[in-house]
């Protein structure tokens, strides 16, 4: 602890903090871009899985099974080291975005599918009973409720992507974790920069998990999910 | 105008090899209130669900206002003419009370917003849901209020008939009255209704005819006094004795 305190008093400290924080934009671009792309892919896939014809449903099921079996770092390596062999060299950041999108889309697909199926059968019956067509029941009852049911998990999923984006270090993307390691190598001390970078992750993830929990409790209060 | 608004002919329903409904026949006159009683598993709920085609009957015909609805493919059009009130209210959780009523008026009946609003307000007021409750979500309402909003949702659509599936079974005893009261008023105002219920007081007071169902068929039917107080068959006698016992009333001296 004394050690850490003395580091904070060190003038160099702020330089290092600055170096690490200077890359936070990259972390955000990487995590937000892959997260949003994964959401778009996952929404399409989940609609297909819930409403699509059987062969397509099977295809989505296999996509999810296979992709969930790929370690994230492997996906990143495939797009960074693998693609150039086919004549598609990509900069590290793009490779990372595609890799994370691929893997996260499978997890988000499960989340959205669960949310759509999580809309109570009673709600759907009531929708049909007032004379809504299948499509209108989906549009006005199932979708709005599934959307709300998915929110807490969706926010949590972003926390996971944000932290997973640190794996981009392995293919040389300069995001905050990479910078922390660089600083550590320069000052020959790993603990302090790594503690600092974990504090940054925590400062982002803690409020997110708080918001997620609030949404979750609201859903229980509204009777949309069981407690 | 034909006096029978609903005709059910030779209706059968199977789940797998199990017979749920066998050979159900009855008619409902315009403005009539019919009460269906019977033990659980008798097929009462399935019968109601068959009438608005939430469950497809396997055999038989249902004729609504001269229209053979079991042969129609546009089931949503049929359902919009039939009100349904559920045991667990089934209000749309993500919508306020008034939006629950408006949804069908705007998206099914395609009424302009003002006209829909006028009818929704009228329906809500007629079931005693006053303005301060209109913007509340179902979770903020009591069970009795939720069920009354559900009834308003059904009557706002101006249905030819309303089906009630044990509308008071999920309510606390002191809330049952407000729902039964609304239903009684509806019946007196000439609404055609089929009510599956265990509320014997309601049946005696309001029903024009009571049908006793067991094992997927209608065993006995007749005026409420006859079915509820002087039933003929052994099965219905036993059932009624138990029902009256729950009401702490001695229908006769031979309550078991």
């Amino acid at each position: 602890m004394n050690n850490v305190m003395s580091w904070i008093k060190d003038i160099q400290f702020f330089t290092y903090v600055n170096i690490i924080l200077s890359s936070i934009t990259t972390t955000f671009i990487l995590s937000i871009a892959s997260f949003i792309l994964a959401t778009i892919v996952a929404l399409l896939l989940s609609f297909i899985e819930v409403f699509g014809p059987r062969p397509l449903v099977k295809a989505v099921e296999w996509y999810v099974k296979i992709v969930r079996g790929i370690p994230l770092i492997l996906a990143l390596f495939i797009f960074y080291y693998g693609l150039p062999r086919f004549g598609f060299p990509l900069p590290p950041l793009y490779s990372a975005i595609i890799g994370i999108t691929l893997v996260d889309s499978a997890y988000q697909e499960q989340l959205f599918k669960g949310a759509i199926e999580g809309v109570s059968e009673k709600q759907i019956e009531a929708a049909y009973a007032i004379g809504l067509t299948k499509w209108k029941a989906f549009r006005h009852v199932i979708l709005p409720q599934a959307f709300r049911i998915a929110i807490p998990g969706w926010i949590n999923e972003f926390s996971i992507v944000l932290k997973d984006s640190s794996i981009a270090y392995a293919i040389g993307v300069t995001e905050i974790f990479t910078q922390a390691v660089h600083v550590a190598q320069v000052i020959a001390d790993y603990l302090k920069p790594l503690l600092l970078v974990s504090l940054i992750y925590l400062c982002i993830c803690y409020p997110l998990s708080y918001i997620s929990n609030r949404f979750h409790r609201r859903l229980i209060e509204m009777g949309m999910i069981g407690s | 105008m034909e006096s029978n608004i609903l005709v059910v002919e030779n209706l059968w329903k199977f789940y797998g090899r199990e017979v749920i409904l066998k050979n159900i026949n009855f008619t409902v006159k315009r403005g009539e209130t019919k009460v269906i009683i019977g033990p659980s598993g008798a097929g009462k709920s399935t019968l109601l669900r068959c009438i608005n085609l939430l469950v497809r009957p396997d055999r038989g015909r249902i004729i609504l206002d001269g229209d053979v609805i079991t042969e129609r493919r546009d089931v949503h059009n049929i359902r919009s003419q039939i009100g349904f009130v559920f045991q667990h209210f089934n209000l749309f959780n993500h919508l306020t009370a008034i939006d629950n009523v408006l949804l069908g008026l705007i998206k099914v009946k395609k009424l302009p917003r003002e006209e829909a609003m006028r009818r929704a307000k009228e329906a809500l007021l007629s079931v005693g849901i006053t303005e301060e409750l209109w913007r509340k979500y179902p979770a903020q309402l009591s069970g009795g209020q939720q069920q009354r909003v559900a009834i308003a949702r059904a009557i706002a659509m101006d249905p030819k008939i309303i089906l009630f599936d044990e509308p008071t079974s999920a309510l606390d005893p002191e809330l049952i009255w407000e729902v039964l009261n609304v239903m009684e008023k509806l019946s007196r105002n000439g609404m055609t209704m089929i009510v599956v219920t265990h509320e014997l007081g309601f049946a005696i007071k309001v029903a024009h005819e009571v049908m006793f169902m067991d094992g997927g068929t209608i065993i006995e039917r007749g005026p409420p006094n006859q079915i509820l107080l002087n039933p003929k068959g052994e099965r219905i006698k036993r059932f009624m004795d138990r029902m009256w016992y729950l009401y702490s009333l001695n229908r006769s001296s031979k309550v078991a």
Side-chain angles (χ1 to χ4, degrees):
Chain A
M1 204 57 204
N2 230 341
N3 205 6
V4 173
M5 289 307 285
S6 67
W7 193 53
I8 291 174
K9 283 182 198 131
D10 192 339
I11 305 216
Q12 296 265 285
F13 172 78
F14 294 101
T15 318
Y16 296 138
V17 171
N18 256 332
I19 291 173
I20 295 174
L21 279 179
S22 69
S23 297
I24 203 162
T25 328
T26 312
T27 291
F28 277 135
I29 289 174
L30 175 57
S31 48
I32 293 174
S34 12
F35 183 66
I36 297 295
L37 287 173
T39 298
I40 294 168
V41 175
L43 279 175
L44 277 171
L45 293 179
S46 60
F47 286 170
I48 292 172
E49 185 164 4
V50 178
F51 299 104
R54 238 188 114 61
L56 281 180
V57 172
K58 279 279 159 217
V60 172
E61 276 175 17
W62 278 105
Y63 173 85
V64 171
K65 267 184 213 161
I66 292 166
V67 171
R68 284 188 9 146
I70 301 176
L72 188 53
I73 192 162
L74 198 85
L76 265 57
F77 273 36
I78 289 172
F79 288 109
Y80 186 60
Y81 295 114
L83 281 190
R85 282 191 64 104
F86 298 100
F88 292 106
L90 279 176
L93 181 64
Y94 291 174
S95 308
I97 289 176
I98 296 174
I100 297 175
T101 299
L102 174 78
V103 172
D104 195 46
S105 67
Y107 286 97
Q108 287 198 41
E109 194 276 339
Q110 301 250 292
L111 176 78
F112 295 141
K113 180 189 151 226
I116 294 171
E117 290 174 350
V119 175
S120 150
E121 199 60 44
K122 294 196 174 96
Q123 298 283 314
I124 300 168
E125 253 194 347
Y128 290 152
I130 61 169
L132 292 172
T133 57
K134 261 191 152 176
W135 161 247
K136 281 182 178 167
F138 177 70
R139 165 78 187 72
H140 299 292
V141 177
I142 301 173
L143 197 60
Q145 293 202 21
F147 175 73
R148 288 164 171 81
I149 293 171
I151 285 177
W154 191 64
I155 294 173
N156 284 337
E157 194 63 36
F158 178 70
S159 292
I160 293 171
V161 169
L162 180 86
K163 287 176 285 178
D164 281 355
S165 72
S166 60
I167 291 179
Y169 160 77
I171 54 172
V173 178
T174 324
E175 42 73 68
I176 53 172
F177 176 71
T178 314
Q179 287 295 52
V181 172
H182 288 168
V183 169
Q185 284 161 350
V186 169
I187 64 172
D189 180 353
Y190 273 85
L191 187 62
K192 284 172 274 191
L194 291 186
L195 279 179
L196 185 73
V197 82
S198 49
L199 196 68
I200 296 172
Y201 283 120
L202 185 70
C203 286
I204 304 167
C205 292
Y206 180 76
L208 287 177
S209 103
Y210 178 80
I211 296 169
S212 165
N213 282 339
R214 284 292 293 269
F215 273 112
H216 185 75
R217 243 177 311 159
R218 182 105 180 90
L219 282 172
I220 294 172
E221 282 165 18
M222 304 261 299
M224 276 188 238
I225 48 176
S227 45
Chain B
M1 202 147 54
E2 206 193 334
S3 74
N4 284 337
I5 193 139
L6 183 79
V7 181
V8 175
E9 284 177 358
N10 188 27
L11 198 75
W12 292 73
K13 177 71 197 173
F14 305 89
Y15 283 144
R17 306 188 65 175
E18 203 183 340
V19 190
I20 306 297
L21 296 176
K22 50 183 172 199
N23 196 17
I24 303 274
N25 293 281
F26 67 91
T27 59
V28 181
K29 287 199 256 320
R30 230 173 267 278
E32 182 182 352
T33 297
K34 205 179 274 294
V35 164
I36 303 177
I37 57 168
S40 59
K44 310 182 299 283
S45 277
T46 309
L47 175 57
L48 285 194
R49 280 171 159 71
C50 280
I51 295 172
N52 83 338
L53 304 173
L54 276 177
V55 170
R56 274 269 168 200
D58 292 313
R59 226 184 285 161
R61 296 203 308 170
I62 298 169
I63 303 157
L64 177 74
D65 206 8
D67 193 353
V68 186
I69 62 174
T70 34
E71 286 164 12
R72 291 274 292 263
R73 295 199 60 82
D74 52 341
V75 282
H76 54 275
N77 282 331
I78 303 302
R79 291 191 190 123
S80 72
Q81 303 168 33
I82 302 174
F84 201 103
V85 176
F86 296 88
Q87 182 178 357
H88 296 104
F89 334 132
N90 299 22
L91 289 180
F92 303 122
N93 290 324
H94 66 297
L95 298 176
T96 58
I98 195 157
D99 284 337
N100 262 277
V101 183
L102 283 171
L103 186 63
L105 294 173
I106 292 173
K107 299 300 170 191
V108 178
K109 292 241 174 221
K110 302 200 166 67
L111 296 178
R113 200 161 171 93
E114 286 93 82
E115 166 71 1
M117 205 65 177
R118 198 184 55 72
R119 276 173 70 166
K121 286 175 180 172
E122 195 185 330
L124 284 166
L125 288 174
S126 78
V127 297
I129 299 291
T130 45
E131 196 165 350
E132 72 274 9
L133 298 175
W134 293 350
R135 299 275 159 215
K136 291 207 190 275
Y137 286 92
Q140 299 169 302
L141 300 172
S142 75
Q145 289 167 340
Q146 287 188 55
Q147 192 60 299
R148 283 185 288 143
V149 172
I151 294 173
R153 177 172 70 180
I155 58 181
M157 298 291 285
D158 193 19
K160 291 178 173 159
I161 184 169
I162 303 184
L163 314 174
F164 293 82
D165 187 11
E166 301 202 26
T168 56
S169 300
L171 293 174
D172 289 339
E174 77 262 33
L175 302 177
I176 290 177
W177 179 85
E178 61 186 61
V179 170
L180 290 182
N181 201 31
V182 163
M183 289 165 59
E184 186 181 340
K185 222 171 70 190
L186 264 181
S187 169
R188 303 252 180 264
N189 288 338
M191 177 59 75
T192 313
M193 318 180 355
I194 301 179
V195 185
V196 169
T197 187
H198 297 299
E199 303 295 339
L200 300 186
F202 175 84
I204 289 227
K205 208 167 151 204
V206 182
H208 299 104
E209 189 185 52
V210 175
M211 305 198 297
F212 174 76
M213 274 184 80
D214 195 13
T217 54
I218 299 167
I219 305 238
E220 213 171 308
R221 67 181 91 186
N225 282 327
Q226 182 205 314
I227 299 294
L228 302 176
L229 299 170
N230 297 304
K232 295 193 195 81
E234 258 323 296
R235 240 144 102 207
I236 173 166
K237 263 184 193 153
R238 220 169 42 235
F239 179 79
M240 288 318 305
D241 278 345
R242 290 186 187 149
M243 291 300 289
W244 286 117
Y245 176 77
L246 284 178
Y247 268 68
S248 310
L249 291 173
N250 275 347
R251 176 167 67 84
S252 57
S253 51
K254 58 179 168 66
V255 168

